[in-house]
Amino acid sequence: MKDFQKIYEEHHIAMVRVASKMVNDTDVVSDIVQEVFIYLHEKLSEDVKILHLRSWLYRITFNKCVDHLRKQRKFVDLSQAEDVKMEEQATSDPDKKAAISRAILRLSEKEKVLVVAYSEGLSYKEMADLTEIRFASIGKTLARSLKKMEYELKKEQHGMFR
């Protein structure tokens, strides 16, 4: 299990960062990341070969976040979220962080996964694997998703992101 510990240490922070961008609830993020690593541990115990571990971890984390968001939509309309708190991210301005978070929440599930994957520096191939969008379409789909996010930010912030 030394391999598992090493994998955990190398990838835990990235999975927390990804889940935080998608879910924005630190308790839920902790639960999701814990589930991801429990699932990985089970697979490794079963001697399942995971060829592309990094992509696999991102995929499982994204899937668990999407599952959580789908369950939440039964109770709350996430597109109306107005008071989102985020962990420390790329910008130090809390108003910008909250606005970016709300804009991400307004994207479709695939757009959300794509934008978060892009912000994490995943390759187009990895993004294609994660979203099941054809590799040839990733660039165009990502550009549209980012444009949609930009529109949401401009609409909400009246020039903060111009």
Side-chain angles (χ1 to χ4, degrees):
M1 283 302 135
K2 286 183 180 181
D3 291 336
F4 176 79
Q5 184 65 30
K6 183 178 177 185
I7 292 167
Y8 179 84
E9 290 170 3
E10 288 178 8
H11 298 283
H12 180 261
I13 293 172
M15 296 309 108
V16 168
R17 191 174 53 243
V18 166
S20 295
K21 289 178 183 179
M22 296 208 43
V23 176
N24 301 313
D25 180 330
T26 55
D27 292 333
V28 174
V29 166
S30 295
D31 291 344
I32 287 171
V33 173
Q34 181 178 6
E35 288 175 28
V36 167
F37 283 100
I38 289 171
Y39 187 63
L40 171 64
H41 189 272
E42 290 170 357
K43 292 301 174 190
L44 292 175
S45 297
E46 297 168 3
D47 289 327
V48 173
K49 280 284 189 196
I50 301 171
L51 297 177
H52 304 284
L53 180 64
R54 180 175 179 232
S55 296
W56 187 89
L57 284 170
Y58 275 101
R59 181 80 221 147
I60 300 303
T61 304
F62 282 124
N63 286 345
K64 291 199 177 289
C65 289
V66 168
D67 289 346
H68 171 76
L69 293 172
R70 283 183 183 149
K71 288 176 189 172
Q72 290 300 311
R73 285 201 175 125
K74 293 178 184 175
F75 306 104
V76 176
D77 182 3
L78 291 177
S79 67
Q80 300 300 315
E82 290 300 327
D83 196 24
V84 177
K85 303 266 191 280
M86 290 186 66
E87 295 296 315
E88 192 63 33
Q89 290 185 4
T91 180
S92 62
D93 184 343
D95 292 333
K96 284 185 180 181
K97 286 192 295 189
I100 290 168
S101 179
R102 286 190 300 271
I104 290 172
L105 288 173
R106 290 185 187 110
L107 300 175
S108 73
E109 288 168 5
K110 273 198 176 177
E111 291 169 332
K112 203 177 295 181
V113 170
L114 200 57
V115 167
V116 171
Y118 174 73
S119 76
E120 286 296 307
L122 271 66
S123 69
Y124 277 22
K125 170 136 181 36
E126 289 172 316
M127 286 187 245
D129 291 342
L130 288 174
T131 59
E132 298 174 352
I133 296 172
R134 289 182 324 119
F135 177 77
S137 301
I138 287 292
K140 184 176 253 185
T141 307
L142 176 60
R144 286 182 183 153
S145 300
L146 292 172
K147 194 73 167 166
K148 183 176 177 182
M149 194 171 153
E150 178 185 17
Y151 170 78
E152 291 294 333
L153 289 168
K154 285 181 179 179
K155 182 173 79 171
E156 179 179 331
Q157 298 298 319
H158 305 290
M160 181 185 284
F161 293 94
R162 287 185 188 171

